[in-house]
Amino acid sequence: MDLQDKRFPLWKSFNFALIGIQTALRTERNMRIHLLVSLIVIGCSIFFSISKTEWLFVIVAIGGVFSLELINTAIETIVDLITKEYHPLAKQAKDIAAGAVFIYTVTAVVVGIFIFIPYFFDWLF
């Protein structure tokens, strides 16, 4: 496919993506919670001078949580657009998407525990 066939210039596509992230941060409580926790984790990473390998795990964990939360938000928005009434399949779609975020978030917390607990105890004692 020729890149010239696209409807919008590449920079405009990036702008749409940034607008989507901004919208999610403004409208979704969980996105704001993830942002706050991510800033705390980044602060701890700088404070403890974690290794490059540990930084990679932290970045992948943060990026994964944000990405899945955005997908979850998109699924919830589409379901709400399709039906305002309760439907078991609509609930199932929303619950499954939320479950994906939950699993990855728990995984990210476990990664954080493995990385930061030794630094914390070294700092404490």
Side-chain angles (χ1 to χ4, degrees), residues 41 57-58 61 105-119:
V41 168
F57 280 101
V58 166
T105 301
V106 169
T107 302
V109 168
V110 170
V111 167
I113 288 169
F114 272 95
I115 291 173
F116 291 108
I117 290 295
Y119 286 104

Side-chain angles (χ1 to χ4, degrees), residues 53-83:
T53 303
E54 291 166 331
W55 266 110
L56 288 174
F57 280 101
V58 166
I59 290 166
V60 169
I62 290 171
V65 169
F66 275 112
S67 296
L68 279 174
E69 188 63 49
L70 288 168
I71 291 168
N72 179 46
T73 299
I75 289 170
E76 288 182 352
T77 302
I78 290 168
V79 169
D80 290 345
L81 177 66
I82 293 170
T83 181

Side-chain angles (χ1 to χ4, degrees):
M1 172 185 245
D2 186 15
L3 288 177
Q4 300 300 327
D5 293 339
K6 295 290 183 183
R7 278 181 55 190
F8 300 104
L10 184 60
W11 69 268
K12 206 152 186 146
S13 296
F14 290 141
N15 191 49
F16 294 146
L18 292 173
I19 289 169
I21 295 166
Q22 181 183 36
T23 300
L25 283 168
R26 192 176 61 249
T27 62
E28 298 297 318
R29 179 195 65 204
N30 287 349
M31 276 294 285
R32 292 189 299 273
I33 292 170
H34 293 312
L35 178 62
L36 176 64
V37 171
S38 296
L39 292 173
I40 291 168
V41 168
I42 290 168
C44 289
S45 299
I46 293 167
F47 178 77
F48 290 125
S49 299
I50 65 174
S51 72
K52 288 181 184 178
T53 303
E54 291 166 331
W55 266 110
L56 288 174
F57 280 101
V58 166
I59 290 166
V60 169
I62 290 171
V65 169
F66 275 112
S67 296
L68 279 174
E69 188 63 49
L70 288 168
I71 291 168
N72 179 46
T73 299
I75 289 170
E76 288 182 352
T77 302
I78 290 168
V79 169
D80 290 345
L81 177 66
I82 293 170
T83 181
K84 299 289 185 200
E85 297 174 20
Y86 174 82
H87 191 284
L89 291 177
K91 180 184 182 330
Q92 185 178 10
K94 288 181 169 190
D95 290 350
I96 290 170
V101 177
F102 180 73
I103 288 171
Y104 202 93
T105 301
V106 169
T107 302
V109 168
V110 170
V111 167
I113 288 169
F114 272 95
I115 291 173
F116 291 108
I117 290 295
Y119 286 104
F120 179 72
F121 281 120
D122 284 348
W123 175 74
L124 198 60
F125 302 112

